mmCIF file of all heavy atoms in Angstrom:
data_model
loop_
_atom_site.group_PDB
_atom_site.id
_atom_site.type_symbol
_atom_site.label_atom_id
_atom_site.label_comp_id
_atom_site.label_asym_id
_atom_site.label_seq_id
_atom_site.Cartn_x
_atom_site.Cartn_y
_atom_site.Cartn_z
ATOM 1 N N ARG A 938 -17.499 -12.670 4.716
ATOM 2 C CA ARG A 938 -17.662 -13.261 3.416
ATOM 3 C C ARG A 938 -17.538 -12.211 2.307
ATOM 4 O O ARG A 938 -17.320 -12.550 1.148
ATOM 5 C CB ARG A 938 -19.036 -13.943 3.346
ATOM 6 C CG ARG A 938 -20.207 -12.984 3.389
ATOM 7 C CD ARG A 938 -21.546 -13.738 3.366
ATOM 8 N NE ARG A 938 -22.679 -12.830 3.354
ATOM 9 C CZ ARG A 938 -23.215 -12.314 4.434
ATOM 10 N NH1 ARG A 938 -22.657 -12.537 5.616
ATOM 11 N NH2 ARG A 938 -24.255 -11.521 4.346
ATOM 12 N N TRP A 939 -17.737 -10.922 2.652
ATOM 13 C CA TRP A 939 -17.608 -9.878 1.652
ATOM 14 C C TRP A 939 -16.168 -9.479 1.327
ATOM 15 O O TRP A 939 -15.956 -8.790 0.346
ATOM 16 C CB TRP A 939 -18.378 -8.614 2.094
ATOM 17 C CG TRP A 939 -19.862 -8.798 2.026
ATOM 18 C CD1 TRP A 939 -20.740 -9.144 2.991
ATOM 19 C CD2 TRP A 939 -20.668 -8.648 0.832
ATOM 20 N NE1 TRP A 939 -22.017 -9.201 2.530
ATOM 21 C CE2 TRP A 939 -22.006 -8.943 1.191
ATOM 22 C CE3 TRP A 939 -20.352 -8.321 -0.480
ATOM 23 C CZ2 TRP A 939 -23.023 -8.873 0.267
ATOM 24 C CZ3 TRP A 939 -21.379 -8.282 -1.422
ATOM 25 C CH2 TRP A 939 -22.710 -8.533 -1.036
ATOM 26 N N LEU A 940 -15.255 -9.918 2.182
ATOM 27 C CA LEU A 940 -13.835 -9.547 1.953
ATOM 28 C C LEU A 940 -13.365 -10.016 0.598
ATOM 29 O O LEU A 940 -12.773 -9.268 -0.201
ATOM 30 C CB LEU A 940 -12.958 -10.108 3.053
ATOM 31 C CG LEU A 940 -13.211 -9.572 4.471
ATOM 32 C CD1 LEU A 940 -12.293 -10.260 5.491
ATOM 33 C CD2 LEU A 940 -13.035 -8.077 4.522
ATOM 34 N N ASN A 941 -13.566 -11.329 0.314
ATOM 35 C CA ASN A 941 -13.138 -11.896 -0.947
ATOM 36 C C ASN A 941 -13.878 -11.238 -2.122
ATOM 37 O O ASN A 941 -13.259 -10.992 -3.169
ATOM 38 C CB ASN A 941 -13.372 -13.397 -0.970
ATOM 39 C CG ASN A 941 -12.411 -14.133 -0.099
ATOM 40 O OD1 ASN A 941 -11.414 -13.564 0.377
ATOM 41 N ND2 ASN A 941 -12.655 -15.385 0.131
ATOM 42 N N ARG A 942 -15.129 -10.966 -1.969
ATOM 43 C CA ARG A 942 -15.928 -10.409 -3.073
ATOM 44 C C ARG A 942 -15.490 -8.974 -3.409
ATOM 45 O O ARG A 942 -15.339 -8.638 -4.616
ATOM 46 C CB ARG A 942 -17.417 -10.454 -2.702
ATOM 47 C CG ARG A 942 -17.948 -11.873 -2.529
ATOM 48 C CD ARG A 942 -19.401 -11.919 -2.142
ATOM 49 N NE ARG A 942 -19.868 -13.278 -1.950
ATOM 50 C CZ ARG A 942 -21.136 -13.595 -1.623
ATOM 51 N NH1 ARG A 942 -22.028 -12.621 -1.431
ATOM 52 N NH2 ARG A 942 -21.479 -14.854 -1.428
ATOM 53 N N ILE A 943 -15.282 -8.170 -2.420
ATOM 54 C CA ILE A 943 -14.831 -6.813 -2.664
ATOM 55 C C ILE A 943 -13.457 -6.826 -3.300
ATOM 56 O O ILE A 943 -13.182 -6.095 -4.286
ATOM 57 C CB ILE A 943 -14.809 -5.981 -1.366
ATOM 58 C CG1 ILE A 943 -16.245 -5.797 -0.843
ATOM 59 C CG2 ILE A 943 -14.130 -4.645 -1.569
ATOM 60 C CD1 ILE A 943 -16.312 -5.143 0.523
ATOM 61 N N SER A 944 -12.554 -7.659 -2.751
ATOM 62 C CA SER A 944 -11.192 -7.750 -3.282
ATOM 63 C C SER A 944 -11.227 -8.231 -4.740
ATOM 64 O O SER A 944 -10.506 -7.705 -5.611
ATOM 65 C CB SER A 944 -10.354 -8.709 -2.443
ATOM 66 O OG SER A 944 -9.035 -8.760 -2.911
ATOM 67 N N ALA A 945 -12.061 -9.233 -5.039
ATOM 68 C CA ALA A 945 -12.168 -9.761 -6.392
ATOM 69 C C ALA A 945 -12.703 -8.715 -7.345
ATOM 70 O O ALA A 945 -12.178 -8.547 -8.479
ATOM 71 C CB ALA A 945 -13.040 -11.009 -6.407
ATOM 72 N N VAL A 946 -13.729 -8.011 -6.948
ATOM 73 C CA VAL A 946 -14.332 -6.985 -7.818
ATOM 74 C C VAL A 946 -13.317 -5.892 -8.110
ATOM 75 O O VAL A 946 -13.198 -5.388 -9.265
ATOM 76 C CB VAL A 946 -15.566 -6.410 -7.163
ATOM 77 C CG1 VAL A 946 -16.058 -5.165 -7.894
ATOM 78 C CG2 VAL A 946 -16.714 -7.457 -7.158
ATOM 79 N N LEU A 947 -12.521 -5.500 -7.108
ATOM 80 C CA LEU A 947 -11.493 -4.495 -7.335
ATOM 81 C C LEU A 947 -10.426 -4.961 -8.315
ATOM 82 O O LEU A 947 -9.971 -4.205 -9.170
ATOM 83 C CB LEU A 947 -10.832 -4.105 -6.011
ATOM 84 C CG LEU A 947 -11.709 -3.263 -5.030
ATOM 85 C CD1 LEU A 947 -11.011 -3.054 -3.714
ATOM 86 C CD2 LEU A 947 -12.033 -1.915 -5.654
ATOM 87 N N MET A 948 -10.054 -6.223 -8.206
ATOM 88 C CA MET A 948 -9.052 -6.792 -9.175
ATOM 89 C C MET A 948 -9.652 -6.804 -10.566
ATOM 90 O O MET A 948 -8.946 -6.468 -11.537
ATOM 91 C CB MET A 948 -8.664 -8.208 -8.748
ATOM 92 C CG MET A 948 -7.722 -8.299 -7.566
ATOM 93 S SD MET A 948 -7.084 -9.927 -7.303
ATOM 94 C CE MET A 948 -6.208 -9.730 -5.773
ATOM 95 N N TRP A 949 -10.908 -7.207 -10.714
ATOM 96 C CA TRP A 949 -11.537 -7.188 -12.032
ATOM 97 C C TRP A 949 -11.624 -5.784 -12.551
ATOM 98 O O TRP A 949 -11.454 -5.539 -13.769
ATOM 99 C CB TRP A 949 -12.931 -7.841 -11.931
ATOM 100 C CG TRP A 949 -12.891 -9.300 -11.670
ATOM 101 C CD1 TRP A 949 -11.867 -10.152 -11.936
ATOM 102 C CD2 TRP A 949 -13.897 -10.078 -11.051
ATOM 103 N NE1 TRP A 949 -12.183 -11.455 -11.524
ATOM 104 C CE2 TRP A 949 -13.411 -11.429 -10.996
ATOM 105 C CE3 TRP A 949 -15.157 -9.815 -10.510
ATOM 106 C CZ2 TRP A 949 -14.169 -12.494 -10.446
ATOM 107 C CZ3 TRP A 949 -15.918 -10.858 -9.977
ATOM 108 C CH2 TRP A 949 -15.420 -12.166 -9.949
ATOM 109 N N ALA A 950 -11.885 -4.813 -11.669
ATOM 110 C CA ALA A 950 -11.978 -3.418 -12.085
ATOM 111 C C ALA A 950 -10.638 -2.934 -12.646
ATOM 112 O O ALA A 950 -10.564 -2.240 -13.644
ATOM 113 C CB ALA A 950 -12.432 -2.533 -10.941
#
Side-chain angles (χ1 to χ4, degrees):
R938 67 182 183 276
W939 285 98
L940 296 179
N941 288 348
R942 296 179 181 180
I943 293 174
S944 182
V946 169
L947 287 174
M948 285 190 187
W949 291 336

